[in-house]
Amino acid sequence: MTRTFLRFIVAGLAAVLLSASGSRHIAAQAGRTPDWTSLNDETLRHFQALLRLDTQNPPGNEVLVSDYVKGVLEKEGIPVQIFALDPKRPNLVARLKGSGSKRPLLYMGHSDVVTVDPAKWIFPPFSATRDGGYIYGRGSLDDRPHIVAGLMTMLTLKRLNVPLDRDFIFLVESGEEGTTDVGMGFMAKQHADAIAAEYCLAEGANTARIDGKVNYASVQLAEKLPKRIELVATGPSGHASRPLQGNAIVHLSAAVAAAGKWRVPVRLNATTREFFTRMASIMPSPEAARYRALLNPGTKEADDADAYLLEHDPGYASMLRTSISPTIIAGGYRVNVIPSEAKATLDVRMLPDEDPDQFLAALTRVINDPMVVARYPDIPGEGRPPGRPARLDSDAFRTIQAMAMRNYDTVTIPMMGTGATDMAFTRLLGIECYGIGPAADLEDAAKGFSAHSDQERILEREVHRFVRFSYDIVSALAGRN
């Protein structure tokens, strides 16, 4: 199936799906069309202001963002609630009331960012510098776009007095980058009623640009679960001038190598099978042939395609399996002493239905060394719960698909996130959650400009387009039909 033909099908489906309710919605919105020219100026002002707020986690200090958003919303007469386990790390909830004929819609963005090494940045990481069509700054991709999109969507709906069938809830949450006990963990456990909804939209996906052109819009329906595994090797201590066969560092090194080289078996789920099926329909050969081969695990063609992805596209390879990345090694305290213990930390991203105990047992067999113990450390507040994947056959997904076609003229690809998002908590609450994101150049990752990289940037025009994309989804899903 050609990409053009697939677009024709998607556009046709979107027209049919929106014709009954969409025509009534458009009529209801007559005279309420946003003035995007003026809104773009306001969006840029808020986006740059948010990027200039240093909320590196640790320590977080997300109150800077929540205070800013609170001030903007309350100036427009939109009520705000603050929920905080730590006063410097609050969570903000704003709500526009609907008729109540449908359950609420939740839009989420997190206010913390990962840490930076300023020496590695072209421009200061909290300067929000505009250069060459890009805006540079930590959080420009992760996750200020969702904060500014949620903010502008709420402001626009309120100013235009758009009638809603659903409450529209905007959540600015703290602690997403590894300290969820103050953010979504806290909200889900103690204030779930404040964010209860039928659907939620958040980070976790992107609209992919290749060679300067949008290729597809991914939508996250499920995500892998982060798990930390420690490998602890023990052995005799002694003077380094007398090498010992039981050297803990030697045994640990072999164990780390074995774990890193382990080709964990491929296991597709409904989301990843749909992802590679749709990717095969829009990509040229030989990529399309590889994606089709992956749909039949265990065959030589699938093994060859998997090997190719492991080398050339590790993100897609990670979608196929529970993944392991050794990230930290510690052992020894002086050069002439053989230590009695050495430890390594593995970042493991598990498939949603992986059994942690069975996986740990399998890893132990792969290491095959009684001097090395593999274990899950008990770290309070770390990790995210497993949740049910979002549905493809929902009004939310159909609306996202239609609005991706409207705003980006592209097809929609459901995917499983290899990272982790706070939708894990909202999914556990029974909310159907979908990750969306702004358009970004896939080539930027190799250049060192992606989220969590030494630098981070976003195309300025894609900030504005993402705001419109978000507004269109929310107004179509929540607007009165």
Side-chain angles (χ1 to χ4, degrees):
M1 183 184 296
T2 66
R3 183 178 176 187
T4 301
F5 184 55
L6 186 60
R7 279 183 171 174
F8 175 78
I9 291 176
V10 173
L13 284 173
V16 170
L17 292 168
L18 294 177
S19 61
S21 61
S23 58
R24 292 192 299 272
H25 176 69
I26 291 169
Q29 302 304 309
R32 295 190 177 94
T33 302
D35 178 1
W36 290 115
T37 300
S38 61
L39 288 174
N40 285 349
D41 293 337
E42 185 179 1
T43 295
L44 179 61
R45 176 164 51 83
H46 290 314
F47 190 64
Q48 287 188 287
L50 290 164
L51 283 175
R52 289 171 180 142
L53 302 176
D54 183 350
T55 56
Q56 295 178 77
N57 184 8
N61 204 27
E62 295 97 324
V63 67
L64 297 173
V65 170
S66 61
D67 278 355
Y68 181 88
V69 174
K70 181 174 183 288
V72 173
L73 292 174
E74 289 186 338
K75 186 178 179 181
E76 301 274 341
I78 299 173
V80 170
Q81 291 178 288
I82 298 294
F83 302 93
L85 185 63
D86 178 341
K88 292 184 178 180
R89 313 196 67 183
N91 304 278
L92 178 149
V93 176
R95 181 186 297 259
L96 292 178
K97 296 291 291 183
S99 68
S101 62
K102 295 180 182 178
R103 293 170 58 199
L105 170 63
L106 173 67
Y107 194 102
M108 298 164 48
H110 67 82
S111 50
D112 60 331
V113 298
V114 293
T115 52
V116 301
D117 179 354
K120 296 180 178 178
W121 285 68
I122 298 173
F123 305 105
F126 296 100
S127 65
T129 298
R130 300 166 70 193
D131 184 76
Y134 290 91
I135 304 175
Y136 289 78
R138 177 58 90 213
S140 56
L141 289 169
D142 184 13
D143 183 35
R144 298 301 198 247
H146 287 81
I147 294 181
V148 79
L151 175 63
M152 293 305 299
T153 295
M154 180 154 275
L155 292 175
T156 305
L157 290 172
K158 174 68 163 54
R159 291 167 181 170
L160 297 180
N161 196 28
V162 176
L164 304 175
D165 281 339
R166 306 177 188 271
D167 285 8
F168 175 52
I169 306 170
F170 177 37
L171 169 63
V172 180
E173 32 119 359
S174 63
E176 194 275 342
E177 301 290 359
T179 47
T180 57
D181 56 324
V182 300
M184 277 306 298
F186 167 66
M187 292 299 295
K189 289 178 183 177
Q190 298 194 35
H191 300 287
D193 58 331
I195 56 173
E198 181 175 10
Y199 301 122
C200 81
L201 303 169
E203 62 168 345
N206 74 313
T207 301
R209 283 169 42 107
I210 301 174
D211 295 328
K213 296 181 180 180
V214 170
N215 194 258
Y216 61 89
S218 64
V219 180
Q220 195 227 75
L221 271 64
E223 62 188 71
K224 299 174 80 174
L225 300 175
K227 286 281 188 180
R228 183 187 302 226
I229 292 180
E230 291 179 343
L231 303 182
V232 181
T234 55
S237 180
H239 199 291
S241 66
R242 300 172 182 177
L244 299 174
Q245 292 300 301
N247 186 309
I249 290 180
V250 173
H251 282 265
L252 179 68
S253 299
V256 170
K261 293 179 180 177
W262 182 24
R263 196 162 163 178
V264 180
V266 169
R267 205 151 49 79
L268 294 174
N269 56 39
T271 302
T272 52
R273 182 171 290 279
E274 186 69 19
F275 175 84
F276 287 109
T277 298
R278 294 199 186 194
M279 288 295 288
S281 71
I282 67 170
M283 298 300 288
S285 291
E287 290 96 332
R290 292 192 192 99
Y291 299 147
R292 279 192 291 269
L294 292 170
L295 300 175
N296 297 291
T299 64
K300 182 182 182 304
E301 291 78 10
D303 290 344
D304 290 345
D306 178 35
Y308 180 90
L309 293 182
L310 284 165
E311 181 177 356
H312 299 282
D313 201 332
Y316 287 178
S318 182
M319 287 188 195
L320 297 169
R321 54 171 53 80
T322 292
S323 62
I324 299 175
S325 289
T327 54
I328 303 172
I329 293 181
Y333 57 94
R334 61 180 297 157
V335 69
N336 61 350
V337 176
I338 298 172
S340 60
E341 182 177 291
K343 183 170 70 175
T345 303
L346 311 179
D347 186 312
V348 177
R349 303 298 170 118
M350 291 190 170
L351 294 176
D353 61 348
E354 188 78 71
D355 184 301
D357 292 335
Q358 290 183 13
F359 184 81
L360 192 66
L363 176 62
T364 299
R365 290 192 295 271
V366 168
I367 293 171
N368 192 30
D369 186 343
M371 293 181 66
V372 180
V373 174
R375 69 189 185 192
Y376 295 113
D378 184 14
I379 303 177
E382 184 176 77
R384 289 173 169 86
R388 179 177 58 80
R391 292 166 31 224
L392 277 172
D393 61 338
S394 70
D395 287 342
F397 186 81
R398 286 188 288 267
T399 299
I400 294 168
Q401 187 168 252
M403 298 313 164
M405 182 63 67
R406 173 188 292 180
N407 286 275
Y408 296 101
D409 188 28
T410 196
V411 296
T412 305
I413 308 288
M415 51 87 75
M416 179 182 70
T418 56
T421 77
D422 280 347
M423 287 187 290
F425 292 96
T426 46
R427 287 185 176 122
L428 195 64
L429 296 175
I431 303 173
E432 296 282 341
C433 293
Y434 299 88
I436 59 174
D441 294 319
L442 295 189
E443 299 91 344
D444 257 8
K447 298 175 183 177
F449 291 111
S450 62
H452 292 215
S453 292
D454 285 339
Q455 303 183 75
E456 196 173 338
R457 69 183 184 183
I458 189 171
L459 283 161
E460 185 174 316
R461 65 178 176 273
E462 295 302 346
V463 176
H464 300 310
R465 186 153 56 160
F466 183 62
V467 169
R468 293 194 296 272
F469 178 45
S470 296
Y471 177 85
D472 283 351
I473 295 170
V474 171
S475 61
L477 265 179
R480 184 167 301 165
N481 290 320

